[in-house]
Amino acid sequence: MTSGRRVRVTSPQTRIALSRRHRPAQHLLPLPEPGEDTDTVAGRAVFARQRRLALHTLGQLGLLLFGLSGLLAAAPALGRITLGGVPVSWMLLMAASYPMLLVIAVLHVRRAERIEDGAERPG
């Protein structure tokens, strides 16, 4: 074996990921200065409204998931009752939670788009 230098071999994706770590955070925008462009201020207002909407949606998701878990913990009899050979607790988890997650997601997207559409209208 030759006594050469050690060479570190990495994939291109790893090199890209490692190089990104040293960049400054570009997603953080400074606060608008007085007299700054109104488009920037309006864009930040839209972003703030959408952030509040996201927190509201996150609360709904938490309420659904933790509420359903709490319901199943508070009513263990639901695990003993069967409907078509399947426990009702499983039916609640599968037949109720996923459609509700879909409804929450669709409503979130519609509200977020409505916020953007309201910002695009003049006036």
Side-chain angles (χ1 to χ4, degrees), residues 7-21:
V7 177
R8 185 166 131 183
V9 178
T10 59
S11 73
Q13 290 87 2
T14 303
R15 276 186 258 140
I16 291 170
L18 291 174
S19 70
R20 286 184 183 155
R21 182 173 33 178

Side-chain angles (χ1 to χ4, degrees), residues 14-60:
T14 303
R15 276 186 258 140
I16 291 170
L18 291 174
S19 70
R20 286 184 183 155
R21 182 173 33 178
H22 302 293
R23 292 184 191 166
Q26 297 171 351
H27 64 280
L28 300 175
L29 297 174
L31 294 174
E33 298 294 328
E36 191 174 348
D37 185 20
T38 56
D39 289 340
T40 304
V41 174
R44 289 172 198 252
V46 168
F47 183 68
R49 288 183 63 202
Q50 286 182 335
R51 219 178 7 210
R52 283 192 298 273
L53 174 64
L55 290 174
H56 183 262
T57 302
L58 188 63
Q60 288 178 337

Side-chain angles (χ1 to χ4, degrees), residues 4-121:
R5 284 181 41 195
R6 294 179 113 192
V7 177
R8 185 166 131 183
V9 178
T10 59
S11 73
Q13 290 87 2
T14 303
R15 276 186 258 140
I16 291 170
L18 291 174
S19 70
R20 286 184 183 155
R21 182 173 33 178
H22 302 293
R23 292 184 191 166
Q26 297 171 351
H27 64 280
L28 300 175
L29 297 174
L31 294 174
E33 298 294 328
E36 191 174 348
D37 185 20
T38 56
D39 289 340
T40 304
V41 174
R44 289 172 198 252
V46 168
F47 183 68
R49 288 183 63 202
Q50 286 182 335
R51 219 178 7 210
R52 283 192 298 273
L53 174 64
L55 290 174
H56 183 262
T57 302
L58 188 63
Q60 288 178 337
L61 289 172
L63 183 65
L64 173 68
L65 297 177
F66 289 115
L68 191 55
S69 298
L71 172 70
L72 295 176
L78 293 175
R80 292 187 295 271
I81 301 171
T82 60
L83 184 66
V86 179
V88 172
S89 60
W90 288 15
M91 295 287 259
L92 280 173
L93 287 173
M94 300 314 260
S97 64
Y98 287 111
M100 289 303 298
L101 288 172
L102 179 65
V103 167
I104 290 171
V106 168
L107 289 176
H108 173 81
V109 170
R110 289 183 65 198
R111 289 176 187 148
E113 288 175 348
R114 194 173 301 139
I115 290 171
E116 285 181 12
D117 291 343
E120 291 175 1
R121 278 189 239 129

